[in-house]
């Protein structure tokens, strides 16, 4: 996903000299082709994310289409005040790329876990929050936000994610149906956002084998969220599940809950994510997902548990 985004951004930058990429002194293996191809459109701001964001805002207010780039919490929580005051308040065209949403950098410990970022960034007025589920969604999202005014947060995985969603066009604020409902004894709707999509897709395969019909959606945009899809599913399903590699407080599941709270239906929402704690385990992403129950098997068990109540 990460490599796909930078390749796409490089191609866009060749055609549009207003595109600028600023890094916080990392990602050189990934960014090398960009700075060699477009040296006048690349800045290394150093290990100074607050300054990086302020520079990005200044460039944006002079007409540039700016992308900042760093890992985990560094381009978000570390410089939240600059995102709020310099970018969002001025509706500056700054696109914040976070590589490593969730537990991507799990082996580096809690300081590198990006598990509160969706909640915090979506609380900022006029900030668009996009969490692609696979490389295809990510590439199309970059093309879209490069030419969309305002501040945007782009939350990525790291690399190696499989393509699940084969859409040709990306629309901000739209959810995408990935799986049609089969006529099975039980049925549920399952929504996910971000790179947990692959685990969610595997979980849906298992659920269908167990006789549970699933209508699956990918929500690459958390803000603005696709209210129409949520309303439609709330009218047709008794149980809706949200899946995210993020704290369930304030994240994607909460965004769906906000919509459902204002509907007149009996659908129940079940949020699958990190249950409001910091994971003290150290290990790779797959290991930590298993520990907190958001891998494919964990998702299956939670759905089964609800349906068997």
């Amino acid at each position: 996903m990460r490599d796909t985004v930078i390749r796409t951004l490089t191609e866009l930058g060749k055609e549009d000299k207003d595109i600028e990429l600023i890094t916080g002194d990392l990602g050189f293996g990934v960014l090398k082709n960009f700075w060699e191809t477009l040296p006048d459109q690349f800045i290394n701001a150093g290990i100074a994310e607050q300054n990086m964001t302020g520079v990005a805002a200044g460039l944006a207010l002079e007409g540039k289409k700016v992308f900042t780039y760093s890992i985990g919490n560094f381009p978000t929580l570390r410089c939240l005040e600059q995102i709020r005051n310099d970018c969002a308040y001025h509706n500056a065209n700054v696109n914040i790329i976070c590589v490593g949403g969730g537990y991507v950098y799990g082996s580096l410990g809690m300081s590198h876990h990006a598990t509160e970022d969706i909640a915090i960034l979506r609380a900022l007025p006029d900030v668009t929050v996009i969490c692609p589920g696979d490389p295809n969604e990510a590439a199309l999202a970059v093309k879209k936000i490069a030419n969309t005014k305002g501040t945007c947060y782009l939350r990525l995985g790291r690399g190696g994610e499989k393509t699940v969603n084969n859409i040709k066009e990306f629309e901000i604020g739209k959810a995408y149906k990935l799986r049609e409902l089969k006529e099975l004894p039980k049925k549920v709707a399952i929504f996910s956002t971000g790179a947990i999509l692959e685990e969610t897709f595997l979980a849906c395969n298992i659920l269908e084998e167990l006789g549970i019909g699933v209508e699956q959606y990918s929500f690459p945009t958390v803000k603005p969220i696709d209210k129409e899809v949520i309303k439609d599913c709330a009218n047709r399903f008794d149980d809706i599940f949200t899946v995210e590699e993020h704290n369930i407080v304030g994240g994607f599941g909460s965004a769906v809950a906000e919509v459902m709270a204002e509907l007149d239906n009996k659908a129940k929402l079940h949020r699958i994510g990190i249950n409001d704690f910091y994971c003290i385990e150290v290990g790779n992403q797959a290991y930590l997902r298993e520990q907190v129950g958001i891998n494919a098997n964990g998702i299956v068990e939670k759905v089964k548990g609800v349906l068997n109540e």
Side-chain angles (χ1 to χ4, degrees):
M1 190 184 297
R2 171 193 62 186
D3 295 351
T4 300
V5 163
I6 298 305
R7 282 196 300 269
T8 304
L9 194 57
T10 303
E11 293 306 310
L12 291 172
K14 291 177 183 177
E15 299 174 2
D16 187 346
K17 297 305 179 183
D18 282 334
I19 286 178
E20 298 273 347
L21 176 61
I22 310 178
T23 181
D25 203 38
L26 46 72
F28 300 118
V30 180
L31 304 180
K32 185 180 181 199
N33 184 56
F34 186 99
W35 87 60
E36 288 183 344
T37 305
L38 304 166
D40 294 333
Q41 294 168 247
F42 178 81
I43 298 172
N44 178 8
I47 307 174
E49 290 82 6
Q50 293 97 333
N51 188 49
M52 173 180 74
T53 305
V55 169
L59 288 169
L61 293 176
E62 290 299 317
K64 299 297 184 180
K65 304 170 184 178
V66 190
F67 289 78
T68 61
Y69 179 98
S70 192
I71 66 171
N73 295 316
F74 300 158
T76 53
L77 304 194
R78 181 170 286 180
C79 48
L80 181 60
E81 184 176 2
Q82 285 72 28
I83 295 171
R84 177 182 183 268
N85 296 353
D86 298 347
C87 301
Y89 180 67
H90 295 285
N91 199 34
N93 194 1
V94 176
N95 302 291
I96 303 145
I97 300 177
C98 160
V99 178
Y103 290 133
V104 167
Y105 292 99
S107 59
L108 298 178
M110 173 267 178
S111 64
H112 284 60
H113 298 171
T115 55
E116 311 101 330
D117 51 311
I118 295 175
I120 293 168
L121 270 295
R122 81 178 185 92
L124 299 182
D126 296 324
V127 174
T128 299
V129 177
I130 297 179
C131 308
D134 68 6
N136 185 46
E137 288 185 356
L140 294 174
V142 167
K143 292 179 181 179
K144 178 64 70 172
I145 66 176
N147 293 296
T148 301
K149 286 194 66 177
T151 302
C152 179
Y153 175 46
L154 183 66
R155 185 193 209 236
L156 304 178
R158 186 178 186 182
E161 297 90 357
K162 294 181 180 178
T163 296
V164 177
N165 190 354
N166 293 309
I167 55 171
K168 303 300 182 184
E169 298 289 335
F170 183 91
E171 182 180 339
I172 293 173
K174 180 176 175 58
Y176 297 93
K177 184 189 292 187
L178 303 182
R179 185 183 306 261
E180 294 287 349
L181 184 66
K182 294 181 179 179
E183 290 298 327
L184 293 168
K186 298 179 180 180
K187 66 176 185 178
V188 297
I190 297 183
F191 305 159
S192 71
T193 194
I196 200 71
L197 175 61
E198 186 177 343
E199 294 284 354
T200 308
F201 192 83
L202 292 173
C204 291
N205 289 342
I206 297 171
L207 289 168
E208 287 183 339
E209 292 172 0
L210 295 173
I212 300 170
V214 179
E215 190 164 289
Q216 182 188 3
Y217 291 84
S218 173
F219 278 73
T221 310
V222 178
K223 182 188 178 186
I225 201 160
D226 194 333
K227 295 181 180 180
E228 294 307 313
V229 163
I230 297 169
K231 291 176 183 177
D232 176 61
C233 288
N235 286 329
R236 295 187 294 111
F237 292 89
D238 292 330
D239 295 288
I240 296 174
F241 293 82
T242 58
V243 185
E244 59 192 306
E245 193 167 353
H246 184 276
N247 192 350
I248 61 169
V249 176
F252 171 58
S254 294
V256 173
E258 290 164 10
V259 177
M260 291 181 63
E262 297 178 351
L263 300 179
D264 184 18
N265 59 64
K266 297 180 180 179
K268 292 183 179 179
L269 177 66
H270 312 275
R271 295 171 296 160
I272 299 174
I274 303 163
N275 290 313
D276 201 27
F277 61 81
Y278 288 115
C279 183
I280 62 172
E281 302 285 338
V282 175
N284 64 24
Q285 186 178 28
Y287 173 76
L288 294 186
R289 284 176 171 178
E290 180 181 9
Q291 295 306 301
V292 303
I294 57 172
N295 63 351
N297 289 333
I299 295 166
V300 168
E301 290 304 312
K302 289 180 180 180
V303 174
K304 286 170 55 182
V306 168
L307 296 183
N308 290 333
E309 287 179 352

